[in-house]
Amino acid sequence: MKRRAGASENKAAKKQKLLEELGESWLPYLTPRDAEFHQLWKTRYSKLLLRKAEKIPQELHHIVQEAFLTLQKHDCFFQDLVRIKGKDFLTPVSRILIGNPGCTYKYLNTRLFTVPWPMEDYEIKYCHPELFAACKALIRLNDYLNIEAVQALQGQIFSETKETEDTAVSDREQDFSTFIKGSLLEDQSSLYTPRNDCNSLKHRTSYNLTLLNYMDPLQMPYLKQEPYFGMGNMAVSWHHDENLVERSTVAVYSYSCEGDDKVNEQDVEGRDPADWHIGLKVAWDIKTPGLAIPLHPGDCYFMLDDLNMTHQHCVLAGFQPRFSSTHRVAECSTGTLEYIFGQCEIALQNLQVDSDSAALSLKSLEVQVVKEVEGIHNEVEFEWLRQFWFQGKRYRKCTDWWFEPMAKLEEFWKKMEFMTSLVLCEVGKGERTMEQRNEIISCFLPLLTERQELRKEWTARCQCQLAVSLPEEQKPDCHPLWKDDDPSMPLPYDLEEVIANLQTVLE
């Protein structure tokens, strides 16, 4: 699900209101030790399904857990430098994105680029054979979770239909495996799913990437405390997952390392702090108790249908290090190489090269054409080039796959810099009426101003204290960057004077 503009401010206001309503008290939450736990799960959190580790093939556990350790051994997990409300923060969790070649995933104003997993028709060179094996294991997990998610949604449809027909509430077992193997699989012939529903299920479960997470709580100097229920240390705060296909399923494989740091349950109120948990609550609701569901090594859980929209979840830290693989149907309509190269093709259609002199000129100065091209120019620079290089050289740890397409993208961007200079030249000529010239400047100036402001912002982010404190290979690179008198560039990096001149013309 995409976040609209202003969503973060709205969330902050809701959070503040909720905390004010709570005062000094905690909201109630339930754990498996509470008698009402399973009934609450069934009635208010039924779209969260758990599949216990023992129900998953042992061979799959082995290769996936080996993949986690391989990626850790090769230093492939990184804390992300994200931006929240105009400030930069390092995520407490270290991450790596693996998925379809050319795919990206954006969260908290940060675009992550997939380390591609092996796929037909793609030549992917990994930095070490072990990394190839790790990525291969994760696409196998992805395929497995895809099948399980389709079955889960089919089961949900079947059960909801049956509950509508029956006056009594079905006494379904909440455990995922029992849920699937029970009423659904006993009579497959009674389940009929129309073709369009099949297509919908496939659309909502075709995971195109996984965001892997790692955290060792004992290495963290500070962890946030859960603010509403008193659930203890949080690894990940309450949130909805961002930028997903609407009503798509999120599947999570959890692996916390084995340890002996169990707490005597007789001495603990609420959840066992030694165990990792998934926390669930109805979004912005103070009446429904929350849930804290323990996650044991190798457990999987599925957030089905609209659960990610109507509920929020958090990850509650245990004592041992934990890996997770969170498989998503990312909303990639504007987040793939295919898309951005298509945008470049649209923009560059307005550029023509003289066959004799090789001189560049614009085919059209129509306002809508100029506006579209300059918008694409900004998109390439700030959604792709600067996002990629802001993450330093981290991707070289796994593969060099992204560097060739990013170099190509930079070539296209440089041509767009020349196109911007050509617009400025045309505006400066006396061949156009004042009305025509002002119309072009009026549509052009806001995009140029946005470019200037974003360059300042990205430059400052690359120089902030958090950025310069990162290890060398993770330090942000402010790129593209050039001196204002660079002869290879048609325009200065700092556009302040250019913008001031255009404003003068309008006056």
Side-chain angles (χ1 to χ4, degrees):
M1 57 191 293
K2 283 192 171 182
R3 292 279 168 255
R4 296 185 298 274
S8 59
E9 289 82 356
N10 187 38
K11 178 183 173 183
K14 286 181 176 179
K15 181 178 178 180
Q16 185 59 37
K17 181 181 178 182
L18 186 57
L19 290 172
E20 287 173 0
E21 289 181 20
L22 283 176
E24 297 297 319
S25 61
W26 296 115
L27 290 172
Y29 75 97
L30 303 182
T31 73
R33 286 184 291 156
D34 296 298
E36 307 89 352
F37 174 79
H38 290 286
Q39 181 63 21
L40 179 66
W41 189 347
K42 184 166 64 174
T43 54
R44 299 309 304 270
Y45 298 95
S46 62
K47 293 179 182 178
L48 188 287
L49 297 179
L50 179 68
R51 185 158 172 77
K52 296 288 185 66
E54 58 265 26
K55 302 297 183 182
I56 297 169
Q58 191 59 40
E59 191 258 347
L60 188 60
H61 283 306
H62 175 74
I63 63 170
V64 170
Q65 292 168 17
E66 187 68 29
F68 290 151
L69 296 173
T70 294
L71 291 166
Q72 183 187 39
K73 182 178 83 171
H74 289 274
D75 298 322
C76 294
F77 287 95
F78 305 97
Q79 291 177 274
D80 292 323
L81 189 53
V82 298
R83 196 158 182 82
I84 305 172
K85 298 178 186 176
K87 294 182 179 180
D88 290 301
F89 297 90
L90 269 179
T91 57
V93 176
S94 298
R95 297 186 163 106
I96 181 174
L97 187 71
I98 298 178
N100 291 353
C103 228
T104 69
Y105 178 68
K106 194 173 181 185
Y107 83 107
L108 298 179
N109 300 300
T110 300
R111 185 179 298 280
L112 300 180
F113 297 75
T114 55
V115 172
W117 47 32
M119 291 185 71
E120 287 185 18
D121 303 324
Y122 288 92
E123 184 180 346
I124 302 160
K125 296 178 181 177
Y126 297 94
C127 297
H128 195 283
E130 290 180 350
L131 295 174
F132 165 74
C135 291
K136 187 176 179 180
L138 289 162
I139 197 172
R140 278 191 59 187
L141 175 63
N142 195 71
D143 293 341
Y144 173 81
L145 294 175
N146 169 244
I147 293 169
E148 297 297 309
V150 169
Q151 289 184 342
L153 286 172
Q154 288 174 333
Q156 181 196 29
I157 293 166
F158 177 77
S159 293
E160 287 177 355
T161 303
K162 193 167 179 59
E163 285 177 6
T164 302
E165 294 170 351
D166 297 341
T167 54
V169 175
S170 149
D171 185 22
R172 287 174 293 158
E173 181 66 34
Q174 191 61 48
D175 181 83
F176 181 85
S177 60
T178 308
F179 176 82
I180 292 302
K181 292 183 179 178
S183 58
L184 170 63
L185 297 187
E186 284 173 8
D187 185 8
Q188 293 252 5
S189 62
S190 67
L191 179 62
Y192 171 68
T193 307
R195 181 177 297 275
N196 61 334
D197 286 344
C198 289
N199 289 337
S200 173
L201 293 184
K202 183 177 179 181
H203 180 62
R204 291 155 58 197
T205 58
S206 296
Y207 305 123
N208 47 15
L209 50 81
T210 176
L211 184 61
L212 274 66
N213 305 290
Y214 172 76
M215 177 194 270
D216 182 351
L218 298 182
Q219 298 300 315
M220 301 302 298
Y222 170 77
L223 286 175
K224 274 187 179 180
Q225 294 297 296
E226 193 285 311
Y228 307 121
F229 302 90
M231 291 177 173
N233 289 337
M234 292 192 302
V236 182
S237 300
W238 291 106
H239 68 289
H240 305 274
D241 286 333
E242 296 183 78
N243 291 319
L244 305 180
V245 167
E246 189 172 0
R247 301 177 84 95
S248 62
T249 294
V250 178
V252 180
Y253 180 95
S254 178
Y255 173 58
S256 49
C257 302
E258 303 288 351
D260 300 320
D261 299 325
K262 296 298 290 182
V263 172
N264 188 338
E265 292 193 1
Q266 303 294 330
D267 302 331
V268 176
E269 288 188 14
R271 78 173 184 100
D272 184 344
D275 290 336
W276 286 79
H277 290 68
I278 172 83
L280 284 166
K281 70 182 180 74
V282 180
W284 313 116
D285 177 352
I286 63 172
K287 296 180 180 178
T288 306
L291 280 189
I293 302 172
L295 297 173
H296 300 110
D299 284 351
C300 284
Y301 61 89
F302 297 78
M303 294 189 287
L304 300 177
D305 196 38
D306 62 351
L307 182 76
N308 185 52
M309 302 163 67
T310 59
H311 293 60
Q312 291 174 304
H313 60 281
C314 70
V315 181
L316 301 162
F319 292 164
Q320 299 301 322
R322 173 185 179 257
F323 298 91
S324 67
S325 183
T326 63
H327 297 249
R328 305 156 190 250
V329 189
E331 205 296 295
C332 282
S333 60
T334 61
T336 64
L337 274 177
E338 182 181 11
Y339 161 78
I340 198 61
F341 280 140
Q343 290 291 93
C344 290
E345 184 178 351
I346 291 169
L348 295 175
Q349 284 175 355
N350 198 41
L351 182 66
Q352 59 187 1
V353 184
D354 187 276
S355 56
D356 296 325
S357 65
L360 300 175
S361 62
L362 299 176
K363 294 179 183 177
S364 170
L365 274 171
E366 290 182 22
V367 168
Q368 287 307 313
V369 174
V370 171
K371 187 175 181 179
E372 181 178 39
V373 170
E374 294 304 321
I376 293 171
H377 185 164
N378 283 359
E379 183 178 18
V380 172
E381 180 169 341
F382 302 108
E383 286 295 328
W384 289 83
L385 294 177
R386 295 198 183 279
Q387 287 276 8
F388 182 79
W389 291 108
F390 185 74
Q391 294 167 55
K393 303 176 181 66
R394 61 161 71 174
Y395 295 101
R396 290 196 190 278
K397 288 275 187 179
C398 299
T399 177
D400 62 359
W401 191 87
W402 275 97
F403 290 87
E404 184 176 333
M406 294 309 290
K408 190 70 176 175
L409 207 53
E410 189 168 337
E411 286 180 24
F412 293 152
W413 165 83
K414 193 169 183 178
K415 288 181 179 179
M416 292 179 216
E417 282 285 304
F418 278 95
M419 294 173 78
T420 301
S421 71
L422 290 171
V423 174
L424 291 168
C425 287
E426 291 294 331
V427 166
K429 292 178 181 178
E431 301 171 1
R432 300 180 184 279
T433 66
M434 182 178 293
E435 183 180 357
Q436 290 173 328
R437 184 178 59 188
N438 288 352
E439 188 179 15
I440 294 170
I441 293 174
S442 295
C443 86
F444 180 58
L445 187 57
L447 290 159
L448 215 58
T449 303
E450 179 186 41
R451 193 174 305 162
Q452 169 72 353
E453 292 306 311
L454 286 173
R455 283 181 183 172
K456 285 182 180 178
E457 181 182 311
W458 280 98
T459 302
R461 290 190 69 191
C462 290
Q463 297 170 353
C464 76
Q465 187 175 352
L466 279 175
V468 298
S469 68
L470 290 170
E472 196 60 39
E473 70 275 7
Q474 297 178 44
K475 284 182 180 176
D477 186 355
C478 188
H479 184 83
L481 178 66
W482 64 98
K483 293 182 178 180
D484 289 346
D485 58 355
D486 187 335
S488 68
M489 297 298 294
L491 290 170
Y493 181 80
D494 186 340
L495 297 169
E496 190 171 335
E497 188 175 336
V498 174
I499 290 168
N501 290 338
L502 290 175
Q503 290 170 333
T504 302
V505 172
L506 282 179
E507 292 169 1

